[in-house]
Amino acid sequence: MAGISIDDESSDLCSEDISITSAEDVPTPFPVWPTISDVQRALRPLQATADHVGKQVEEFAETLDRLSKTRSEKFERDCTYALALVQGYRKIARSAVDYLRGIHGAENQGRPGKPRRDKLHKSASASDLRPRHCEHHTDRTTVEDLERWEQEEQTWHLLGLMLQVEYPSSGAHTKEASSSERVVRPRKATRVHQYSSEREVWSNFLAHDDQAWERHTVINWLKACADDCGQDMEQVIQDIERNADRGSGLWAHSWLYTKESIKGQKRLRSWPQALAPDSPGIDSSLRNSSPAKSLVTQLDPDAVTRQVRDLQPQDDNFEAATWMACWNMLRRGQDWQFIRTWCQERVENWRAIAMRGDPRQHSSKDGKSLSYLNHTVDWQSRALWRKSCALAARSGVLDKYEAAVYGALSGYLPSVQKVCGSWNDYLFAHYNSYLLRSFDQYVATYSADRIPHGLQARDGFFEFSVTGGRRTQSGNQLIEKMRRLKPLAQESRDPIKQLQGSLIGKNFGSFVRKYGFQLLREQKRQANVSQYPNNVPRSQHENNKKPSIRPDDYQVIRMVTHIVLIYLDLEPSWLENAQYKAAGIFVEAYVDFLGKAGKQQLLPLYASCLSPTGAIRSLSRQLPRILELGERRTVMQLMKQHNIDVPSVLNEQLWMIMKEIESKADDSTHDPKYSTLRIMEARGDEQRVGMRKIRAKFMGNVVTDDQHDLINGFEWYLLLDGYWEKTLATGAVLYKHFLSNVSLARIDTVHRLTRAELPDSKGLAAARDLSQRVSFSTLSRRKTHAILGHEIDISDFLDWEENGMLGNQSGASTSSRAAQYGGDGSRNLYKPEKERYLLQQSNSFLNLEQLVQAMDAFEAWQAAMEKKPSLELAGSTGKQWRDNLKKACEDVESCIRPLQHGWLQSPRNDEEALELEEIRKACLPEVLLAYLVVLNSSAQYVSREYLLRSLEVGAAVASKDSDLGPCFVLAGRMPELVDALAFTSTTIILANEHGGGKKRTPARLGIWSTKGSLNTAE
């Protein structure tokens, strides 16, 4: 990969920190969330991810739950507890890396460079987590998955280090975190003196300079990343041997081909001493093979630069490969002992000596101290050695990797930049240069007498800047600078790299604000694709650039979520409104992923980390997806354990769905909210009301996804102990919604129907489904145990003929009765009165359920009528049909009876009174007229007594204290009622006249006999 050119940099950066521009703090509306059907369709491509989530997601949750319980106090600026969390997360990521390396390790070793960002995104969204010890999933993983998990493991390592830098542990709770993960900052010692060893001076420098300690920590992390995720050193050596044009084991021969050429010249000339550049004819006879240039005459290491001559091409490759190996060892943080051993094996000891003297080499990796750094003598040679290395790197005559080695040892930035091939390399080059420059300044400030006089001079041979004349930049400035460099632009856009950059630049809060709101906008855009007009290009609405964090990048969302939760515990400033809201966006996005992945039992844990409002909103989106009763009980119990307001969650889920439906309702038609029911067929010009028929299947069978979600959501109330009044009020709201025109808002989008094709059934099918799945009797039995101490069906106390609906007969409203009995009116009452009061609180719900049951009975009666046998099949078949019809008619009667007395006459307030009156006007006249049709039709086949019952309806309407007459008048349907009753009277008269001498079953019909009336008159 090509190095990063210094010319690509912007050298004129302001000295102030460049902060990430945050999104506007104006509250952003949350996107429209999918229905359960939408989720099920979306889960098909996501199912692979859900299958692979396995133990890792659960382990993250278990670690968070276990360790968060041990934290005694929030906002304690001590990273001990947070570090234990980070170590747990890193261990999980490390397990995934080890598993994937066992599958793709060989493939990864053979891949040069870094994967493309789009491939990493695809890997993260398609297979976020991989189960361990599952061979049948091997074919679903790729090498990109391995690299993605390596990046995550590096990020957790970095977070642990940065937390220890920013929130150092007080040492009071050291048992919480593993000692292997802790970094120990040197203690401040007395002022350095002339007898201080180099180790003591370096340690004192790190102890006093906070920025130096931070850079030192980041450099060690960069070295660890290179050592862990780079090619294995043995693989590097093999590649170098191949590039050096020599077989394995020939490293010890150094410049093999040049040596043979020099020996050949000496044999030809019979030269007794070493060849010299000025030897006669040497320029024409001692030349390399291609291109023809003068070869060196001696084999000492500096012969090429001293004689300004070349090597044989094979030895040039060998030299470059050797320095590349040395650069790799320095970049990976190998100690000098390892480098010396490596050089000794290849008889290249001088290279190890040239790299000896880095003040950071306190000890080897096996823990043994490097004694030469404890020497108190020859301090000046160390400073002079670093400056000499910088001078060699600056000379321009060395191979780029040799110059990079000397640049890394001295902090000379330009030479190291030339071999940088990645984001990590570039950051290492700058931080390494800044750190060594700061160290030289520290020594010059506090121990000037230890610096050679030549280095103290303001001018001279050593007077140049190791940073190439550029100002030292803060971590945030450097991260922003790398984003603008073309060679790093693609890698810098990777979300994990941006996350790492925000941690290094200590700008994670701005990162969360910026990308949190960006994530929210992208979620909203994906959920509302139709919000853009067809004739307007989308580029006018939004930037064409892809978002850095996409809603389906679950791995990044998971990482940010867990980091956010750590900072919310450590830093009180995170409770600032905009930042806290942006943090909540990530947590809610992760909760949504868990819901899609089927990890319902983890939802309350993460939702509890949000604000009370955020927890309610987040969980309310997930509950409709949970359909199994056992899962519902478990989630309900977990919500209670995490102190989440369960009733508010249940109420919010229904409110959000209805709010979405209302937002999609067509307001252009200006239709009333509750339009007249259409139970009967349309009336012809000459057709009387009594001759009309019940429409077959008038309730329909279309239940939209939204309606299913509403019913699923309401079923949760069955698991909620108590809350009688709230539950019944919520159920009444659902019934009202299904009876309204708004319930049709999404039928056209789901079933592709035009407005003219929309069914007249509204949401009647959904209302019937609700009455069957969550009936009043079921609710009563489930909830009365917690309220009354025993299970009972409150509806058993109904006595329609005597007390009506036990409604406002005394004129007292529900709220006034609640105040009378204290609180919600559910306690401190003797049981019969309490049961009557509970029944009163359920008035609206029960009345609306009775309406739905009546309509269902109408539909069943019409289905029975349609099965009328022909004349040829009369007999036993006809008798069976009449029995079925009679049973259906009796069901209609029992369902209609409660609707004739005080139906929907117990509103809770004036607003509900107006709404209930609208429902009565839209439904009650049609229901009673349809009831007359049923009675008249049934009288023809079952019993003429049904005709008299029709007249009883008219008597009930005409009663002085009846509430039915005003309802017919308001609906403008009184003429239809009169016409229907007149038709019934005519039917009775005709039935008696045509009946002749037949036995009259209902004796009371005699008053309608025309013959009887004439005889009485005479």
Side-chain angles (χ1 to χ4, degrees), residues 161-178:
L161 296 175
M162 297 308 294
L163 288 177
Q164 294 179 78
V165 170
E166 193 171 359
Y167 306 97
S169 174
S170 61
H173 308 285
T174 54
K175 294 182 180 180
E176 299 295 334
S178 172

Side-chain angles (χ1 to χ4, degrees), residues 854-867:
M855 289 188 289
D856 191 33
F858 281 138
E859 197 173 78
W861 179 87
Q862 179 59 31
M865 278 292 294
E866 291 177 350
K867 296 179 180 179

Side-chain angles (χ1 to χ4, degrees), residues 957-1015:
V957 173
S959 176
K960 182 180 296 186
D961 59 347
S962 172
D963 55 86
L964 300 179
C967 186
F968 273 91
V969 173
L970 289 174
R973 305 192 71 175
M974 185 60 78
E976 295 182 57
L977 177 62
V978 173
D979 187 33
L981 294 174
F983 178 82
T984 301
S985 302
T986 304
T987 303
I988 294 174
I989 295 173
L990 294 175
N992 286 328
E993 290 179 349
H994 294 293
K998 294 182 180 179
K999 184 178 179 180
R1000 190 179 294 116
T1001 304
R1004 289 175 292 174
L1005 291 181
I1007 62 173
W1008 295 93
S1009 174
T1010 54
K1011 293 181 180 180
S1013 299
L1014 291 175
N1015 293 334

Side-chain angles (χ1 to χ4, degrees), residues 292-309:
K293 294 182 180 179
S294 299
L295 285 178
V296 295
T297 61
Q298 298 170 3
L299 298 176
D300 51 303
D302 65 338
V304 176
T305 55
R306 189 183 72 253
Q307 297 181 357
V308 194
R309 289 171 175 263

Side-chain angles (χ1 to χ4, degrees), residues 144-162:
E144 285 81 11
D145 295 325
L146 170 58
E147 293 176 354
R148 195 72 170 177
W149 273 101
E150 286 175 342
Q151 286 186 337
E152 176 169 346
E153 194 267 341
Q154 294 170 10
T155 304
W156 292 122
H157 185 197
L158 173 64
L159 176 62
L161 296 175
M162 297 308 294

Side-chain angles (χ1 to χ4, degrees), residues 144-351:
E144 285 81 11
D145 295 325
L146 170 58
E147 293 176 354
R148 195 72 170 177
W149 273 101
E150 286 175 342
Q151 286 186 337
E152 176 169 346
E153 194 267 341
Q154 294 170 10
T155 304
W156 292 122
H157 185 197
L158 173 64
L159 176 62
L161 296 175
M162 297 308 294
L163 288 177
Q164 294 179 78
V165 170
E166 193 171 359
Y167 306 97
S169 174
S170 61
H173 308 285
T174 54
K175 294 182 180 180
E176 299 295 334
S178 172
S179 58
S180 61
E181 300 287 341
R182 302 181 65 86
V183 291
V184 180
R185 185 175 182 179
R187 294 183 178 182
K188 294 181 180 180
T190 56
R191 190 168 181 266
V192 295
H193 49 80
Q194 59 180 336
Y195 300 109
S196 299
S197 66
E198 182 162 348
R199 178 176 182 177
E200 293 171 343
V201 175
W202 176 258
S203 298
N204 212 43
F205 162 64
L206 295 180
H208 284 83
D209 193 328
D210 293 337
Q211 191 175 52
W213 172 245
E214 178 184 329
R215 287 170 176 164
H216 172 75
T217 303
V218 173
I219 289 172
N220 286 339
W221 172 74
L222 291 168
K223 290 178 178 178
C225 291
D227 188 39
D228 184 63
C229 299
Q231 280 184 306
D232 185 75
M233 277 304 298
E234 292 300 325
Q235 181 68 35
V236 173
I237 298 302
Q238 292 177 11
D239 294 340
I240 290 175
E241 289 177 343
R242 184 167 54 253
N243 294 333
D245 293 333
R246 60 188 66 198
S248 178
L250 295 180
W251 279 86
H253 295 275
S254 189
W255 297 342
L256 179 63
Y257 296 92
T258 303
K259 182 190 299 184
E260 290 299 320
S261 298
I262 294 175
K263 286 185 176 181
Q265 282 295 316
K266 294 180 70 175
R267 285 193 296 268
L268 289 174
R269 294 170 175 265
S270 299
W271 207 262
Q273 65 268 14
L275 294 177
D278 55 355
S279 299
I282 197 67
D283 289 335
S284 59
S285 59
L286 186 59
R287 305 183 71 82
N288 61 8
S289 57
S290 176
K293 294 182 180 179
S294 299
L295 285 178
V296 295
T297 61
Q298 298 170 3
L299 298 176
D300 51 303
D302 65 338
V304 176
T305 55
R306 189 183 72 253
Q307 297 181 357
V308 194
R309 289 171 175 263
D310 292 321
L311 301 174
Q312 289 287 4
Q314 298 90 336
D315 294 331
D316 269 333
N317 292 336
F318 166 79
E319 188 71 7
T322 305
W323 284 116
M324 183 187 296
C326 294
W327 159 253
N328 269 280
M329 288 185 285
L330 287 179
R331 178 66 182 83
R332 294 169 184 235
Q334 300 292 349
D335 58 72
W336 185 77
Q337 191 70 36
F338 179 90
I339 296 174
R340 183 179 67 173
T341 302
W342 187 89
C343 292
Q344 283 179 340
E345 291 175 352
R346 289 153 180 81
V347 195
E348 297 284 340
N349 294 6
W350 69 271
R351 298 183 195 270

Side-chain angles (χ1 to χ4, degrees), residues 786-799:
I787 300 173
L788 301 175
H790 61 278
E791 186 178 291
I792 190 174
D793 184 356
I794 300 296
S795 62
D796 292 340
F797 285 80
L798 290 173
D799 187 350

